[in-house]
Amino acid sequence: FTSFLHLPGASEEVAAPLQQSFMIPKKEINMVSDMAKWKRSQAYADYMGFILTLNEGVRGKKLTCEYKVSEPIEKLVALLNTLDRWIDETPPVDQPSRFGNKAFRTWYAKLDQEAEKLVATVIPKHLADAAPEVAVYLKESVGNSTRIDYGTGHEAAFAAFLCCLCKIGVLRVDDQMAIVFKVFNRYLEVMRKLQKTYRMEPAGSQGVWGLDDFQFLPFIWGSSQLIDHPNLEPRHFVDEKVVNENHKDFMFLECILFITEMKTGPFAEHSNQLWNISAVPSWSKVNQGLIRMYKAECLEKFPVIQHFKFGSLLPIQPVTS
């Protein structure tokens, strides 16, 4: 899976300028029959390869363990900190409806305006031409400003954003753990703050039958972290005490904590799918099951994928290799 994390012909020290013309990514999936194009595309292969590479990279590791933090990782965290600060500067407005606070549109307009500049702070000068293409995925990753909603398609755009940074050589193989533990984890914190502050609607939620109203990837990577854990089993994540004591180490438990903060009533009722998962005997079985479920419920669903955009880094063209 790591092939796309290595640039062809680039030394580890300095990436050669890519002989490639970048483009503004665009929609290619316009009707249900286009879904076959997506599943055969280079974009799908690269996206899934990226998700699975990171899944292996964090296997059995705690959020709090030691790992390398490169300069691009630091810059990505700084970018996310900026988005976080903008939330503080854009308080919710008084409005009659409880959900979908219109102040989100003001916050989003700022990102829309600044996205390319933000991305330019992360990528080296010789790759400056990539910024407009990569920035599209960042803008798509924070929710929809018309509907004021957020869902797994937006989350996928953020993973695609990180995948693009790998493809142009900004992020490298030895950044794997930091990509999940530092960057993606910070992204999650900012998204949770957006969801809470602006009372965002879940996009395309399956209600009680979905895994979670907003996220999916942290459950995949979070279950991988727990594989072969000496005493935490899947049945333990519905135990409040276990969650409170271990959530700082494991992304999966952090997700459970957020759900219990946001929802009232018995866990088995508001999060039925997760309740069922707690009966699976091992974390590796949970992890495999969640990967299958992610493909079926997110990546193979037209309402989610119709919004995905394709460019030179994540092309709609069929897989070559």
Side-chain angles (χ1 to χ4, degrees):
F1 293 127
T2 49
S3 59
F4 64 84
L5 280 167
H6 282 307
L7 276 177
S11 74
E12 278 304 302
E13 287 314 301
V14 51
L18 287 172
Q19 296 309 308
Q20 122 167 58
S21 50
F22 296 103
M23 62 179 274
I24 299 296
K26 56 185 208 292
K27 230 167 100 69
E28 300 276 2
I29 310 298
N30 298 306
M31 42 188 150
V32 176
S33 56
D34 292 335
M35 289 296 285
K37 254 196 318 196
W38 154 243
K39 283 189 252 183
R40 281 198 303 268
S41 71
Q42 190 63 50
Y44 182 89
D46 287 349
Y47 179 85
M48 214 47 229
F50 182 65
I51 299 302
L52 294 172
T53 299
L54 295 174
N55 190 56
E56 282 309 300
V58 300
R59 187 184 173 126
K61 307 276 201 310
K62 291 179 174 183
L63 286 168
T64 47
C65 73
E66 292 281 313
Y67 50 84
K68 174 185 166 256
V69 178
S70 63
E71 198 182 342
I73 293 285
E74 296 281 17
K75 288 175 173 170
L76 280 165
V77 172
L79 180 158
L80 291 164
N81 291 343
T82 300
L83 301 189
D84 191 339
R85 193 182 73 244
W86 290 349
I87 302 174
D88 297 335
E89 292 166 5
T90 319
V93 295
D94 275 341
Q95 61 177 45
S97 63
R98 211 168 113 230
F99 286 94
N101 194 282
K102 291 182 178 58
F104 175 72
R105 293 183 182 145
T106 311
W107 180 90
Y108 184 85
K110 191 155 188 155
L111 172 62
D112 196 34
Q113 211 183 326
E114 303 287 328
E116 276 184 42
K117 268 193 219 132
L118 288 172
V119 170
T121 63
V122 178
I123 57 185
K125 291 273 186 287
H126 70 272
L127 290 170
D129 289 354
E133 176 166 349
V134 177
V136 168
Y137 295 103
L138 178 64
K139 287 192 282 195
E140 297 275 317
S141 75
V142 298
N144 180 289
S145 66
T146 310
R147 294 188 303 273
I148 315 182
D149 67 5
Y150 176 96
T152 49
H154 301 112
E155 177 189 73
F158 192 74
F161 166 67
L162 297 172
C163 182
C164 288
L165 292 174
C166 288
K167 292 193 84 169
I168 61 174
V170 172
L171 297 173
R172 308 195 164 243
V173 175
D174 56 1
D175 287 319
Q176 277 181 58
M177 283 171 67
I179 289 172
V180 180
F181 292 172
K182 242 193 148 44
V183 180
F184 193 81
N185 205 42
R186 185 73 187 104
Y187 164 76
L188 278 179
E189 289 169 359
V190 179
M191 291 310 103
R192 286 175 183 140
K193 187 165 169 176
L194 277 180
Q195 290 151 19
K196 258 184 178 159
T197 305
Y198 303 121
R199 302 296 298 265
M200 296 177 80
E201 301 270 10
S205 164
Q206 296 154 313
V208 71
W209 303 112
L211 184 67
D212 177 79
D213 281 344
F214 298 111
Q215 315 294 158
F216 203 114
L217 291 173
F219 292 94
I220 295 179
W221 296 331
S223 59
S224 182
Q225 284 184 276
L226 285 154
I227 291 175
D228 297 331
H229 192 283
N231 42 20
L232 287 181
E233 293 168 31
R235 65 189 171 91
H236 291 124
F237 77 72
V238 291
D239 177 339
E240 208 177 323
K241 185 170 181 287
V242 172
V243 172
N244 288 334
E245 285 169 8
N246 297 282
H247 70 94
K248 286 189 168 59
D249 285 325
F250 300 104
M251 210 170 234
F252 194 100
L253 302 181
E254 195 68 77
C255 290
I256 300 296
L257 186 69
F258 184 66
I259 292 172
T260 54
E261 278 174 11
M262 298 294 280
K263 300 200 166 183
T264 52
F267 192 87
E269 283 172 28
H270 63 62
S271 302
N272 192 263
Q273 276 281 20
L274 282 166
W275 179 261
N276 294 338
I277 287 170
S278 71
V280 176
S282 72
W283 284 111
S284 66
K285 283 265 187 300
V286 169
N287 186 246
Q288 289 159 8
L290 286 173
I291 290 166
R292 280 197 306 273
M293 187 178 167
Y294 184 60
K295 287 179 181 169
E297 298 303 320
C298 300
L299 302 185
E300 294 175 9
K301 287 281 190 275
F302 175 72
V304 176
I305 295 305
Q306 64 172 330
H307 304 291
F308 198 89
K309 300 211 165 124
F310 300 85
S312 72
L313 296 168
L314 290 169
I316 189 69
Q317 281 71 31
V319 163
T320 44
S321 50

